[in-house]
Structures are given as C-alpha cells and as structure tokens.
Amino acid sequence: MLIGKGSDLRSSEITNEQAYYGRREFLKGGALALGAGAAASVLPGCVTSAAPEEQAPPSRKGPFDASETPTPYEAITTYNNYYEFGLDKANPARNSGKFRPKPWTVKIMGFVKKPADYSLDDLLAGLTVEDRIYRMRCVEGWSMVIPWQGIPLASIIKKLDPLPSAKFIEMKTILAPDQMPEQRGDALPWPYVEGLRLDEAMNPLTLFATGIYGKPLPNQNGAPLRLVTPWKYGFKGIKSIVSINFTDRQPKNTWQIANPVEYGFYANVNPTVDHPRWSQKSEKIIGQRLSLIQIAKGEAAVKRTLMFNGYGDQVASMYAGMDLKKNF
Ligand code: MTE
C-alpha cells in the first residue's frame, strides 16, 4: 500500500512478502523434513507451528462458506496489515501485545433512531454469532481464506434503526497513540476510516467479526470488532472499530484520502481493473504449503482472481449499471 510520501515506498511489497513468506514456508518445510522435535531445537524462535486444535478444519455449514482450504491460523495472525502497529507484515503481531480491546465502547451517531455510546456487549446483545469461511483478497495481490466468527452487520444496523436519510455509514478505528506506536507518526492520516453504502452494509455477506478459528479476534487482526466485506479488497476491512456514523454523504476512506489516484471508495475486487502498481488478474495464496522443490524453484501458489472475489451472485446486483472502472 502507498503510505505517506512517494519516497517512503518500498519498491514492491509483493516481492517483500514473497521473500518473507517463502522463507517461512521453506523453514516450515524443513521442520517437517526434520521432524518436529529436531526442528524445534534448530529453528529460530519465530518459526512456530500452530497448536493442533488451531489447525482443525472448520466445518462448512453456511451457504456463503468458501470451499477452499482455510489458511493456517499462524499465517492469518502473523502476516497482517495494521499500520497503527507498524508498516511491515510481521509488526502487528509483534507490537500489539499491550493493546487493550476491553472494555470497548462503540459510538453510534448520525441519521439513526438510537444514537448512543454502546458498550460492545450492549451493541451485540441478543444477536447471534455466526461462522463464515470467507476468501480475503488484498489489493497488493495476495489472498487468504479465513474462518471468521461474527455478527452480520445488517442485524446490528436493524437494531440501531437508521432514518430514511441515512445512505452510507462511516466507521473509525480507535485513536490511541499511547497503545499504537505508528499513530505517533504521519504514515497515514489517523484514525483509519472506512465507509460503505447502506445497501452494502446490509448485504448478508457483510460481517462484524469478533473471532477467528473459534478464538477471540487477536489484536493484530482488529480486536475486538472489525469489518469483513469479502467481495472487496482487504483494506475495506477496518479494524478495532469505535464509531459508526450514519450519513447522507459518501465518506472518504483512509487510502482514498492518502492517494486518490490509486484507491477508490468501492474497492470491489475486479481482475479487469489493475491497480497502478499491482496487477489484479491473479493472486498469491498466503500460507499454502509448497513442496521444497517448488520453493527451491521460486514457485509461488498463485490463482486467478475472480470478479467480486467469487461473490458475484450475492453482490453484483448492487452495482448494476455502474461503471466499475470509474467507480474503483
Ligand atoms: N484497519 C486499520 N485500522 N488499519 C490498517 O492498517 N489495514 C487494512 C485492513 N484494515 C488496516 C485496517 C488492510 S490494507 C488489510 S489488507 C486488512 O486490514 C488486513 O487484515 P488482516 O491483517 O486481518 O489480514
């Protein structure tokens, strides 16, 4: 992602990620070849394997559950974009240990019948947590498959009862520079903000996630509450949400404010519209195990990117008649 001034840019984040992840996979492969006990004694501390229960395949129950193999818990929780905790993929897991996701308050405001400061428990009271296995596609060209637990945003919105004048929601991440080291700098305008059209927010796919693999959401993944819109690029998935404003105007999101040429409001996954620096035609699958021979050959696990990340049946009608090249 483009952060701050152009000179701050690393030449290609994808290359960095590939090198980083390729190394982890190589070491993991080595661990397998050596046997777990031997590996533990020779491999550096950063190479851990997830506990067996974390690797248990989540059961597919819902109509929206992806059929692909879920990404291992370790990859989902150590390969993150959470710029408040640092600009590299490994930083959020390392730097978010002291973040306090409890107690948590969400401010509801704007064109809504029940504006108030809600404790998280009150906001979610009476609503059912659901399991959803969703594909996630980052605009940087990589993807994961994540078994989330969360509450459909539509049921939260119905409870809050928006006024007819509400057409969009704008969400903000907590501003806590004492807990989030990068908020003391100007890499991005803080706090992180995101927006959705109200019909997008009410779409049955849209989730406010509270957990992953049956465990509470780790800090680096956006504890205690983060947005998941699986047909949009991952940057729409705003983390650690502290406010929702019901508004009649299309809000701007953080990346759009930082670089309007590269990032738009909609951010729908679209393999026919390339990002200026990244092709969107295909994606690298994070956490997929490759054989040592494949890794030695420099191969990566890659797949073709699908329109709306494969969720066209559920979401395409919301964009009927829209020019998706213009509304990127
Ligand atoms: N939310 C906040 N507050 N800060 C961020 O830097 N990064 C976004 C999104 N939400 C980000 C954020 C980006 S670019 C992506 S790809 C996803 O979070 C990554 O989510 P993950 O780390 O859980 O995979």
Side-chain angles (χ1 to χ4, degrees):
M1 307 286 280
L2 174 58
I3 46 163
K5 302 158 280 295
S7 57
D8 290 338
L9 260 182
R10 283 152 286 163
S11 59
S12 160
E13 290 208 22
I14 293 183
T15 309
N16 288 344
E17 287 151 18
Q18 211 159 11
Y20 168 83
Y21 212 81
R23 180 176 162 275
R24 294 183 69 85
E25 287 302 307
F26 181 81
L27 290 168
K28 261 199 220 155
L32 286 178
L34 285 164
S41 61
V42 295
L43 294 174
C46 63
V47 183
T48 54
S49 54
E53 73 272 15
E54 292 164 350
Q55 298 287 8
S59 56
R60 284 186 193 83
K61 285 178 275 183
F64 307 134
D65 283 347
S67 58
E68 292 90 339
T69 306
T71 306
Y73 183 83
E74 196 223 355
I76 296 172
T77 56
T78 57
Y79 187 90
N80 299 102
N81 276 336
Y82 200 166
Y83 283 79
E84 287 87 333
F85 292 111
L87 310 184
D88 292 325
K89 299 285 181 282
N91 284 340
R94 287 188 190 137
N95 298 342
S96 64
K98 292 195 176 135
F99 180 69
R100 297 184 298 275
K102 271 185 200 171
W104 196 261
T105 303
V106 183
K107 189 179 209 44
I108 304 297
M109 57 189 149
F111 298 121
V112 64
K113 286 193 192 140
K114 295 175 186 164
D117 289 353
Y118 290 83
S119 74
L120 186 57
D121 286 349
D122 286 346
L123 184 68
L124 306 184
L127 305 177
T128 308
V129 175
E130 296 185 15
D131 286 293
R132 300 280 178 95
I133 305 171
Y134 281 162
R135 292 181 284 277
M136 176 168 109
R137 169 64 156 80
C138 177
V139 72
E140 297 162 345
W142 52 265
S143 67
M144 295 188 185
V145 178
I146 305 182
W148 301 101
Q149 286 72 49
I151 287 147
L153 181 52
S155 47
I156 300 175
I157 290 178
K158 277 181 205 147
K159 183 170 156 176
L160 298 171
D161 210 356
L163 295 167
S165 42
K167 305 289 179 217
F168 300 89
I169 57 166
E170 179 185 46
M171 294 150 282
K172 289 191 179 162
T173 292
I174 191 170
L175 188 64
D178 57 322
Q179 299 180 65
M180 299 174 136
E182 207 58 47
Q183 281 187 342
R184 290 170 225 146
D186 62 358
L188 282 175
W190 310 112
Y192 198 96
V193 293
E194 254 308 338
L196 289 173
R197 241 171 39 192
L198 199 59
D199 60 331
E200 297 178 312
M202 300 287 289
N203 187 281
L205 285 177
T206 306
L207 203 68
F208 262 14
T210 55
I212 291 175
Y213 269 101
K215 298 167 187 291
L217 208 55
N219 291 344
Q220 60 269 33
N221 292 88
L225 192 68
R226 64 89 60 85
L227 176 70
V228 183
T229 45
W231 72 99
K232 293 178 178 285
Y233 293 117
F235 71 84
K236 293 295 285 186
I238 181 171
K239 298 178 169 180
S240 307
I241 297 166
V242 287
S243 69
I244 308 173
N245 183 22
F246 290 79
T247 167
D248 56 355
R249 292 194 195 155
Q250 183 172 301
K252 282 207 160 83
N253 63 53
T254 291
W255 290 103
Q256 212 182 353
I257 296 164
N259 189 339
V261 175
E262 297 197 354
Y263 304 100
F265 171 76
Y266 283 96
N268 290 322
V269 174
N270 188 340
T272 70
V273 178
D274 281 341
H275 181 278
R277 286 177 290 130
W278 299 300
S279 163
Q280 301 299 8
K281 290 181 184 57
S282 64
E283 62 204 56
K284 189 155 49 70
I285 303 163
I286 299 298
Q288 195 176 78
R289 286 185 184 210
L290 294 167
S291 71
L292 286 175
I293 293 164
Q294 285 173 300
I295 293 161
K297 282 182 179 166
E299 285 180 23
V302 173
K303 73 168 211 189
R304 200 165 57 84
T305 293
L306 299 172
M307 186 67 201
F308 297 119
N309 207 19
Y311 296 97
D313 287 351
Q314 288 81 30
V315 302
S317 62
M318 293 195 290
Y319 310 104
M322 270 179 72
D323 180 346
L324 296 180
K325 282 200 164 64
K326 231 164 106 189
N327 296 285
F328 57 96

